[in-house]
Amino acid sequence: MKNITTILFDFDGTLYHHNLNNDPEYWQFVESLGVPVTQDLIDQTEIWRKNYFANSPEYLNDRDSIKHTHASLWRISTRRKIELFGDYPSETLDQWAEMICDDVESRLSRDGKLGENVIETLTALKPHYKLGLITNRTVPVDFILEQEDITQFFDTHYTAGQVGYWKPSPRIFDRALQELNVQPSQVAYVGDSIFADLGAAQQANLTPILLDTKDRNPEVECQVIKNIQDLLPIFLP
């Protein structure tokens, strides 16, 4: 891509993959809070999750309310979901939502794995571009990067929690632009979420690239790749 000198990456779902939807450890933690976990409750939350993210009124309201704030849609949606747990005081649900999110986030590093061809792709791009990693996680990901031996590829890396802005807020890119001394027109951002990644990049005037492994978004007006290594013919023609 002409004029691009810097490529920034999302982390979860783009370079690093895991499956934590309704996993046994999640429900074991919920049960430890004192919530009776039944198969019916598990089924209800899965139906709720699918309906919520299918552009439900609640999702659209939550999405619009955080566009220019530092709020996390994941934490907001978790708070909505646990209302299915039962008739508990609002303060209790607030506390549980934070505890559940913290527990899930603490397990991301050991339940995930680096995507195929990630190291090969980063290795090929590194001599020609500045590279960065920006993720919506709350806590730093330094340990995972070291564990996967990919720290050396990134000229900058940080989480939303470290800067106080969550995608799709374009402010999440401010630190990277400053640290790397680049203009938005020189930067591409690679991510797997239309709402968070594509939305943030467009608002920040970066060049978005959507990783869509299952061809679920043919209508998007940006560069789309199916595999991370598809970046190579784009940036190293």
Side-chain angles (χ1 to χ4, degrees):
M1 289 186 176
K2 191 175 181 180
N3 299 326
I4 297 296
T5 65
T6 303
I7 306 171
L8 304 178
F9 292 89
D10 169 52
F11 192 48
D12 297 300
T14 301
L15 300 182
Y16 197 70
H17 302 274
H18 39 74
N19 182 17
L20 293 177
N21 285 326
N22 291 327
D23 67 304
E25 285 191 61
Y26 175 92
W27 289 110
Q28 288 171 12
F29 185 80
V30 170
E31 202 162 35
S32 75
L33 300 175
V35 178
V37 174
T38 64
Q39 187 58 50
D40 182 58
L41 177 61
I42 295 173
D43 292 342
Q44 284 185 54
T45 58
E46 179 61 14
I47 292 171
W48 176 89
R49 185 181 68 83
K50 291 179 179 178
N51 290 338
Y52 175 80
F53 286 104
N55 285 336
S56 67
E58 292 83 4
Y59 168 79
L60 294 175
N61 179 73
D62 293 342
R63 183 195 67 180
D64 292 341
S65 71
I66 69 169
K67 279 185 177 178
H68 304 290
T69 72
H70 61 274
S72 165
L73 180 63
W74 175 51
R75 288 178 178 257
I76 291 174
S77 64
T78 296
R79 173 60 177 80
R80 283 190 180 275
K81 180 176 73 172
I82 68 171
E83 292 177 4
L84 297 171
F85 288 0
D87 187 20
Y88 297 98
S90 179
E91 295 79 6
T92 299
L93 295 178
D94 290 340
Q95 182 181 23
W96 284 354
E98 288 300 310
M99 294 172 67
I100 289 169
C101 287
D102 289 343
D103 175 69
V104 170
E105 195 154 20
S106 72
R107 291 190 288 114
L108 288 177
S109 59
R110 60 186 172 85
D111 289 343
K113 63 179 181 179
L114 206 61
E116 292 184 2
N117 301 306
V118 166
I119 290 181
E120 294 83 352
T121 300
L122 296 177
T123 299
L125 293 173
K126 179 62 177 173
H128 307 280
Y129 294 91
K130 296 177 182 178
L131 303 181
L133 178 70
I134 301 174
T135 170
N136 256 6
R137 289 201 190 195
T138 304
V139 298
V141 294
D142 301 64
F143 171 74
I144 306 175
L145 301 187
E146 292 172 5
Q147 177 179 275
E148 300 292 346
D149 195 24
I150 59 173
T151 306
Q152 70 275 12
F153 291 113
F154 302 111
D155 299 288
T156 185
H157 63 83
Y158 56 86
T159 69
Q162 290 176 285
V163 295
Y165 292 97
W166 275 256
K167 294 175 291 183
S169 170
R171 295 292 306 276
I172 196 171
F173 298 116
D174 290 352
R175 172 171 160 178
L177 296 176
Q178 182 177 12
E179 287 184 349
L180 302 180
N181 192 28
V182 292
Q183 298 299 313
S185 61
Q186 298 175 288
V187 181
Y189 187 66
V190 184
D192 67 309
S193 168
I194 289 183
F195 170 62
D197 300 319
L198 180 59
Q202 288 177 330
Q203 290 187 74
N205 295 315
L206 311 186
T207 298
I209 298 177
L210 181 69
L211 175 64
D212 185 2
T213 60
K214 298 183 179 179
D215 291 323
R216 291 176 173 171
N217 304 284
E219 75 287 353
V220 296
E221 297 181 357
C222 73
Q223 181 79 51
V224 179
I225 59 175
K226 290 190 65 174
N227 303 285
I228 200 68
Q229 67 267 30
D230 291 342
L231 292 173
L232 299 184
I234 296 174
F235 290 105
L236 301 175

